Amino acid sequence: MPEAGALLGVAAPTSVEEMRAAAAALLDLGPQAVLLKGGRLPAPEAEAAEGGAAEAAEGRAAVGMVDVYADAEHGVVELRYRRVATNNTHGAGCTLAAAVAAELAKQVHSGTGPLQPLEAVRAARAYVAEVFAASAGGKVGTGLRGPLNHARALWRGGSDGAVHDEL
């Protein structure tokens, strides 16, 4: 979220409430939608925050993590998901951005109507959740943060490295 602070000329958001304010302020600058990824928020901050109206109406659980999305149609929305215990988080922001772009491209290709960026973000978050879950048990390299396991569909899960015969 340092980028949000830099764009607004303020300190980076450090709480869900500051993320909500930053998302609204960024939206006022003219983009159609804003997404702030809250993965670096301290766990207690993310867990203690109140859920957004859309999630509460849908009965979705608020556990561990929160991203903040904003657009003119939905206002500011908190997107909650379960925190996965893993040190393999390198590339999470790039993965999320690429997944959102892919979901938007799928919407364009389907020709079913106007873009639904919030739905693209939700689908991308589901993909990233799968990648985090698949990455939880692995250890690659010697650094503190290992890479995400994008090859999860090919991996059977053991340490033997066996792959599926087909995709």
Side-chain angles (χ1 to χ4, degrees):
M1 286 183 293
E3 297 86 351
L7 288 168
L8 295 170
V10 298
T14 59
S15 69
V16 175
E17 198 54 44
E18 289 177 7
M19 287 174 66
R20 292 178 62 86
L26 287 168
L27 193 62
D28 287 343
L29 295 177
Q32 292 181 9
V34 173
L35 177 64
L36 298 181
K37 184 175 77 67
R40 292 189 180 159
L41 282 181
E45 169 63 31
E47 292 168 358
E50 294 296 321
E55 283 67 31
E58 295 171 13
R60 296 181 1 171
V63 180
M65 301 296 295
V66 60
D67 292 339
V68 174
Y69 172 90
D71 70 14
E73 180 182 351
H74 300 96
V76 178
V77 179
E78 292 176 18
L79 303 169
R80 299 193 165 273
Y81 51 100
R82 194 170 297 281
R83 183 184 291 266
V84 175
T86 181
N87 285 332
N88 297 327
T89 59
H90 185 77
C94 293
T95 297
L96 180 59
V100 170
E103 290 296 331
L104 289 169
K106 286 168 41 178
Q107 290 179 14
V108 169
H109 182 71
S110 72
T112 58
L115 290 179
Q116 299 295 319
L118 179 54
E119 294 314 310
V121 167
R122 285 185 169 138
R125 282 273 11 135
Y127 168 77
V128 172
E130 289 177 18
V131 171
F132 267 104
S135 302
K139 175 69 175 139
V140 176
T142 58
L144 294 176
R145 298 282 176 215
L148 295 175
N149 181 4
H150 295 282
R152 74 202 186 294
L154 299 173
W155 204 268
R156 283 187 196 244
S159 60
D160 62 356
V163 296
H164 293 280
D165 295 332
E166 55 198 67
L167 295 177

